[in-house]
Amino acid sequence: MKKIIAFVSLFFNEAPFNFALFVISLTSISLFSSAAIANDTKEAVIVFAAGMPDISNPRSGKYAELQHLVSQQRESKKTTFFIFGGGSIGPSALSNLDRGSHIIDILNSLEPDAMGVAKREFSYFEDELSLRSYEAAFPMVASNIIDQRIGLTPDGLVDQVIITKGAIKLGFISIVNERLIYEYLLKNVIVKDPLTTIKTKAKALRDAGADIVLLHYFYPFDFVPQLLESRDIDFAFNSSTSYVDKKALNTHPRLLSINEAGQAVVAKLGFNPQLDILSSELITLANMPPDLAVQAQVNAYQLRLDRLLDDRIGYWDGKFTTQRDIVRSSENRFANYIVDAMRSLTAADIAIINGGSIRGDTTYEQNAEITRRTIANELPFRSSLNVISIKGKYIVEALEIGLSGLDEQTGTFPHISGIRLTFDSDAPSGERILSVLVNGKQIMPEQTYTLATTNYLFEGGDGYTPLALGSQMKDSIVLKNILISDLVQRDIRLKGKLSSKIDNRIVDVAQQNNKGNKN
C-alpha cells in the first residue's frame, strides 16, 4: 500500500489532484476487500457425489447432471468444494475394456477438488489404480492403504490433502475397511487401522493449518460419530449406497451420506459462531438438466460402447431379476443358469459362484432381448473359469463362509449347481448350514469332488479361503482362459434363449413360509 501511495504521489505531483481523497478511497477499497475475505470465511459449500461406475446406468450414470449441479454452486460466489467419493472406477461394461480410464477422463472435466478411494477403485487391482491416478488432474486420497512393495501409499495416490479456496483450508482424509483385501484379492497392499489413521492424519492436517477436517469413508464404522463429537474431525461423508441397514450409517448432525445411487449432497457450512452445517440437501441428479459439454463427452464413450456391445445373442425365456438384494440372499434364476452352464461345460460334480459377481441389479421381462451389453453389465468382472479337485469338508466350510455375508448382503452368498443346500438364516454366522447334498447324498468330508468355480473364489476372494486348499485339475488348465461372461454368452447363443428355473437347490428354513415370488 505504501508503494502504491508513493507511486501515485509522484505521478500526480504536478497535477491538480486531491491526493488525500485518493488515499482515503484506496484505503476504503482495501478495507472492503479484507471485509469480503473475512465474510468469505463465514460460509462455504461442499458438493459430494460418489458411486457412479456405469455411464450407461439411467440412475447413477449422471455425470453431465452432476456437472450442472457443481457449476451452479461454483457460480453462486460461495467458496465451493467438490469432493468425489469414488466407488466408480469399476465395474462396468466399458471399464472392463479400459479399466476405468473413461471415468477419470470425465471426472477431469468436472474438476473435483479431491477424490476419496473406495473399494470399487480396486476392481482392476492396485497397479491399474495407480495408472488411473496419473491420468487424474486431481488428488486421489487413500489414507490407510500401504503398498507393501514400497512401504508407502500406493504409487500416484496421496494419504491426505489440503485444499485451499480463498481464505479456507480444507483437509481431506479417506479410509477403507480391511475387508477390501479379501473382497478384491489384493496381494500387495495392507490396510492400516482406520481409527488410528484418522486421528493421526487429522492432527497432521490441523498442524498444517487446515480450517476444516473432512473424512470420507465407505464402510459404516461405528466410531465415526464419536470422532465428530470430540472434534477430531469436523465433518464426515459416507458414500455407501449398498448397506441394507441404513441405521448402520451412524447418523450424526455433521455426518452426510447419500441414500441411493444417483444422488449428490450439497451442504452449506457456517463458521460463526462455531463450525457447523447450516443446511444440507440431497439432490437426485436425474432431476437436474445435463451440462451439454459433458453430455457430449459421455455420448462419445457411449457410442463407442454401443458399437461393441449391441449385438443380440438371445432372449429371456421368462421374467428374470438380478436385483442386488435377491442375488445376495437367495436362490436366483439367472445365477442358476450361470452355475449350470459352468458345470455342464466342465462336467464337474458341482459349481459355485458368489452373488456379488452379478451386478446388473435389473429386472427383465419375458422375451426381452439379450445383447452382449446385457451380459457385460451383469458380469462385469473378468473372472475366469477354474476346475479344481477338493475335499467335501472344504466345500462345506466355503459355503458356510458364503452364508456369513447374509446379514449385510456383502455379496458372498453362494449360488450352486450339483448341490442341495439347506440352511437357517436365523442361526449365528458360522453355524447356519443344516445339510449339503451331492447327488442326493450327504456330502462326505474326506471325499474328493470336482468343483467348477471362478479364479476369484479359488484364490480365496470374498473370504472363500477353503477353496484355495483345492488343486487345479491338470486336464482343465485350458479352461482358465475362459471368462465366465464369455461362457454365458456362448451358451445363450447356442440355445437362443436364457431359460432357467427355481428348483429349491437352496432352502432357507427361516424364510420358507414367506419367500413369496421374489425370484
Side-chain angles (χ1 to χ4, degrees), residues 68-95:
H68 178 88
L69 174 64
V70 173
S71 297
Q72 190 178 62
Q73 296 302 318
R74 285 171 172 163
E75 292 167 3
S76 68
K77 302 190 184 302
K78 298 287 185 185
T79 300
T80 301
F81 297 90
F82 170 34
I83 303 296
F84 193 71
S88 302
I89 294 297
S92 72
L94 187 50
S95 286

Side-chain angles (χ1 to χ4, degrees), residues 57 96 105 152 181 202 210-211 256 268 345 347 393 417 433 506:
N57 190 296
N96 202 16
D105 184 39
L152 300 168
I181 301 296
D211 302 300
L256 300 163
K268 183 184 293 185
L345 178 67
K393 61 183 179 182
S417 180
I433 290 180
I506 303 174

Side-chain angles (χ1 to χ4, degrees), residues 225-243:
Q226 180 55 48
L227 291 173
L228 288 164
E229 282 299 305
S230 62
R231 288 283 177 173
D232 285 276
I233 55 175
D234 297 308
F235 303 100
F237 171 50
N238 183 287
S239 62
S240 171
T241 59
S242 58
Y243 287 97

Side-chain angles (χ1 to χ4, degrees), residues 1 5 8-9 12 15-28:
M1 180 66 122
I5 294 172
V8 174
S9 176
F12 291 103
F17 179 76
N18 191 329
F19 182 67
L21 183 60
F22 176 80
V23 171
I24 291 171
S25 301
L26 194 60
T27 303
S28 299

Side-chain angles (χ1 to χ4, degrees), residues 289-311:
D291 177 271
L292 297 182
V294 172
Q295 189 62 61
Q297 187 179 11
V298 170
N299 290 347
Y301 280 116
Q302 189 64 58
L303 287 171
R304 188 183 309 174
L305 189 62
D306 289 346
R307 289 194 295 269
L308 292 169
L309 299 182
D310 282 348
D311 174 25

Side-chain angles (χ1 to χ4, degrees), residues 143 249 281 294 317 331 356 514:
S143 300
L249 295 181
E281 183 179 4
V294 172
D317 186 21
E331 184 181 350
N514 60 1

Side-chain angles (χ1 to χ4, degrees), residues 259-374:
N259 296 328
E260 59 186 50
Q263 292 182 332
V265 177
V266 177
K268 183 184 293 185
L269 312 182
F271 291 75
N272 188 20
Q274 185 180 19
L275 183 58
D276 208 345
I277 294 177
L278 301 180
S279 65
S280 66
E281 183 179 4
L282 201 57
I283 307 291
T284 299
L285 293 175
N287 295 335
M288 302 291 294
D291 177 271
L292 297 182
V294 172
Q295 189 62 61
Q297 187 179 11
V298 170
N299 290 347
Y301 280 116
Q302 189 64 58
L303 287 171
R304 188 183 309 174
L305 189 62
D306 289 346
R307 289 194 295 269
L308 292 169
L309 299 182
D310 282 348
D311 174 25
R312 183 185 183 278
I313 61 175
Y315 66 91
W316 296 94
D317 186 21
K319 186 173 182 176
F320 284 72
T321 183
T322 60
Q323 285 180 238
R324 185 181 187 279
D325 60 332
I326 293 176
V327 298
R328 297 185 178 215
S329 64
S330 59
E331 184 181 350
N332 176 262
R333 294 178 69 186
F334 179 60
N336 285 355
Y337 185 90
I338 298 169
V339 286
D340 287 348
M342 292 166 61
R343 191 162 69 97
S344 175
L345 178 67
T346 61
D349 296 321
I350 57 181
I352 300 175
I353 62 169
N354 60 313
S357 62
I358 300 171
R359 293 293 181 127
D361 198 16
T362 302
T363 297
Y364 303 95
E365 298 299 326
Q366 182 169 352
N367 297 323
E369 182 180 75
I370 301 174
T371 64
R372 290 178 63 194
R373 178 196 303 279
T374 310

